[in-house]
Amino acid sequence: MSGTIPAVDPEKAQDSELKRRVTALALTKAGTWFSSQVGARIDPWLLRATRGRVDHTLGQIPVVLVTVRGARSGLERTVPLLYFSDGEDVILIASSYGRAKFPAWYYNLKANPDVTLEARGRSSAYLAHEAEGDDRDRLFELAKLVYSGYNEYERRTSGIRRIPVMRLTPA
C-alpha cells in the first residue's frame, strides 16, 4: 500500500514506564548489541508481517523501514530506524548508538538520496538531504523528545563527531 508515512509528532511523544525500561536497556552494551545485531535483522520482517505493530522495541519507539541503494555495492539495503515528522518530512538521526563511526545507512543516503520508506503498512518515495545549522540543531532537540537515549549518544560522541540529522522530503 502506498501513501505518505504516518506522522510522528515529537511534541506529543508518550513516555511510559515500559518506554523508560526499553530505553535503559538499549543504552547498555548488551542492549546496543541486541538492537544493532538482532533487532535490525528481525524488525523488517516483524514490521511487514504485522503492518507496523510489532518490532523489537515492543512498539515503544516509532520505526520506519528505509530502503536505499548501497553507496559502494549498489545493492538495495533495508534498515529499520527511529523516525519522527517535521511537517510532511521524515526525520532520521544518524547516531549509530553513540559509536565513533557514522552508520552505513548515512553514507548510503548521502550517495543515493532517492529512498523508499515503509511504516505501518504504507510506503512512499522520499528524497534525503542532511539538515544543517539551526535546522539540524532544532531537529536534534526534537529527536530527544521522541527518544531520550539521544542525550547519551550525544554525550558519547562529544569531541569525536557531530551526529547528523537527515531530512527526507516526499518525492
Side-chain angles (χ1 to χ4, degrees), residues 160-171:
I160 300 170
R161 69 178 180 96
R162 185 171 180 152
I163 297 174
V165 175
M166 299 301 291
R167 179 182 285 278
L168 286 73
T169 305

Side-chain angles (χ1 to χ4, degrees), residues 13-155:
Q14 298 293 317
D15 199 21
S16 67
E17 182 61 28
L18 179 57
K19 185 175 180 179
R20 284 189 292 278
R21 288 176 186 252
V22 166
T23 299
L25 176 61
L27 293 173
T28 67
K29 223 174 201 179
T32 296
W33 177 87
F34 182 82
S35 291
S36 65
Q37 300 303 312
V38 178
R41 287 180 171 85
I42 64 172
D43 278 353
W45 181 85
L46 284 172
L47 289 163
R48 287 175 177 145
T50 65
R51 297 182 55 79
R53 290 187 291 274
V54 177
D55 62 55
H56 86 279
T57 72
L58 307 175
Q60 296 304 298
I61 296 169
V63 177
V64 63
L65 295 177
V66 180
T67 301
V68 60
R69 196 161 298 286
R72 289 186 289 183
S73 71
L75 299 174
E76 282 197 342
R77 310 280 188 200
T78 298
V79 60
L81 298 171
L82 181 152
Y83 82 102
F84 66 94
S85 306
D86 187 47
E88 289 187 349
D89 294 349
V90 169
I91 309 302
L92 306 174
I93 309 298
S95 66
S96 193
Y97 306 97
R99 295 182 286 210
K101 294 183 178 182
F102 294 109
W105 65 261
Y106 167 74
Y107 294 110
N108 294 341
L109 282 184
K110 296 285 280 182
N112 299 298
D114 294 306
V115 302
T116 301
L117 300 183
E118 295 176 62
R120 297 190 205 135
R122 298 185 198 168
S123 67
S124 193
Y126 282 75
L127 183 63
H129 68 276
E130 190 167 348
E132 303 285 344
D134 290 342
D135 186 43
R136 181 259 175 224
D137 295 344
R138 179 183 69 82
L139 293 171
F140 194 76
E141 290 305 311
L142 289 173
K144 293 175 185 178
L145 299 175
V146 178
Y147 177 62
S148 62
Y150 287 132
N151 289 302
E152 176 63 15
Y153 299 161
E154 184 176 45
R155 186 193 66 73

